Amino acid sequence: ILCDPNRRITEGLTLTGWRWFSDHTNALVCLAEALESNSELKYLRLFCFETGNEGIPAISNFVKTTSSLCELGLCFCKIDAVGARLIWESLKTNTSMELLDLASNCIGDDGTIALADAL
């Protein structure tokens, strides 16, 4: 469905990683690559992908290149300040983002400040 142009995800996608994927980082990278051609996705919610910062560059690159994504949820993904800065970089070019949910991550003060600067 992700790569088939005749069967597009037009509204959004919610995935929970801890049950279905043994390699969370690879799953995020593959997902981000598959979504690159999707110009209609409005929300992406990825919960429990315990990849830490390793999968964030791929997701950040997708966020940079899409103009339709309004909501990004990355809860329980073990993201720290480094990952938050990567997301901040992607928000500089994504003007459609309305909601960013990083609940239950460890972004700390540095990550929070980086994200606040993106606003």
Side-chain angles (χ1 to χ4, degrees):
I1 289 177
L2 293 175
C3 297
D4 183 350
N6 298 317
R7 298 177 60 193
R8 300 189 73 74
I9 297 171
T10 58
E11 187 64 27
L13 181 63
T14 300
L15 290 174
T16 302
W18 66 271
R19 287 187 179 175
W20 309 112
F21 305 104
S22 60
D23 183 351
H24 292 184
T25 299
N26 190 47
L28 285 183
V29 170
C30 291
L31 176 64
E33 289 173 0
L35 290 174
E36 283 179 8
S37 64
N38 188 322
S39 60
E40 301 172 28
L41 192 71
K42 291 179 176 53
Y43 69 83
L44 180 60
R45 299 178 191 130
L46 304 172
F47 302 116
C48 300
F49 279 84
E50 297 180 347
T51 179
N53 299 328
E54 293 178 30
I56 299 305
I59 296 298
S60 292
N61 191 46
F62 168 67
V63 171
K64 281 182 197 176
T65 59
T66 184
S67 60
S68 62
L69 192 68
C70 299
E71 180 181 327
L72 177 63
L74 296 168
C75 301
F76 296 98
C77 290
K78 295 189 176 181
I79 299 167
D80 63 17
V82 173
R85 279 190 220 97
L86 289 171
I87 294 167
W88 170 75
E89 287 293 327
S90 68
L91 293 176
K92 287 181 179 179
T93 57
N94 182 311
T95 58
S96 62
M97 189 67 64
E98 296 173 6
L99 177 68
L100 175 64
D101 187 355
L102 296 175
S104 298
N105 285 292
C106 299
I107 63 171
D109 293 342
D110 290 341
T112 302
I113 291 167
L115 291 170
D117 287 343
L119 304 175

